[in-house]
Amino acid sequence: LFSTFIFLASILVIIAGCSSSGPTDPRSAVISMFGAMEKNDQAALAHLLDLPELMRSLNEDYALQTDSPRVFINPIDLLNDLTGEGLTKTRWFSYQRIIGDTEVMGESATVEVTFVDKENSRGYLTKFGLHVVNGKWKIYSFKTFQDPSAE
């Protein structure tokens, strides 16, 4: 009986350990994304981003200060844009990043991220959209608004 109890307890510990491998809240997912970008870790980004959903966002460009939306043909193009010398990584990391409020609505959420261009006294307010996919928070949108209060 005791060995059965130990066996069942071991199984529960393994299951709990496997289910907690992703970010536990939306804000942590966004912070982890910036960390992965800084390390040029495309594998980590692939686990933090909902790449199919991001590929569907063809009408907006999240790199900041672009004249027309860029089209990404495959997920690798998107990951390359967020790492190395990619345009989005270069632009986002040239600004001060402020991670603000989080709003959770069931299994979806938004996290405010403001990019501050100190040289031009301009701010870009974004609301990263996240949702739960297979028990983990994943980013599916980088919606950008120009912050009129920063001008």
Side-chain angles (χ1 to χ4, degrees):
L1 182 64
F2 183 71
S3 60
T4 304
F5 175 75
I6 295 295
F7 176 73
L8 291 175
S10 299
I11 296 295
L12 288 174
V13 167
I14 290 170
I15 291 171
C18 291
S19 67
S20 65
S21 61
T24 56
D25 64 87
R27 191 170 196 278
S28 295
V30 171
I31 292 168
S32 295
M33 182 205 68
F34 283 121
M37 287 175 71
E38 189 169 18
K39 295 176 190 168
N40 296 318
D41 187 347
Q42 291 189 353
L45 283 172
H47 288 286
L48 294 163
L49 304 173
D50 186 340
L51 291 168
E53 278 299 314
L54 283 167
M55 295 289 297
R56 288 189 188 110
S57 299
L58 300 176
N59 296 327
E60 61 186 58
D61 198 327
Y62 49 81
L64 307 178
Q65 297 181 336
T66 55
D67 294 332
S68 60
R70 295 168 296 151
V71 176
F72 297 104
I73 305 302
N74 60 54
I76 297 297
D77 290 342
L78 185 61
L79 291 171
N80 287 338
D81 183 52
L82 296 170
T83 56
E85 299 299 317
L87 178 62
T88 298
K89 180 185 178 186
T90 304
R91 292 246 171 98
W92 284 3
F93 278 68
S94 71
Y95 301 134
Q96 177 184 1
R97 296 175 306 279
I98 302 167
I99 299 173
D101 294 337
T102 300
E103 184 177 347
V104 178
M105 298 125 327
E107 291 198 340
S108 64
T110 58
V111 177
E112 286 184 5
V113 179
T114 303
F115 297 94
V116 180
D117 178 356
K118 291 182 179 180
E119 287 182 23
N120 296 310
S121 299
R122 178 172 290 164
Y124 299 93
L125 173 65
T126 63
K127 288 200 176 193
F128 286 13
L130 295 92
H131 56 195
V132 176
V133 177
N134 297 325
K136 297 178 182 132
W137 287 102
K138 291 197 172 207
I139 300 164
Y140 70 87
S141 171
F142 302 120
K143 184 71 178 166
T144 306
F145 311 89
Q146 187 158 338
D147 184 359
S149 64
E151 290 190 29

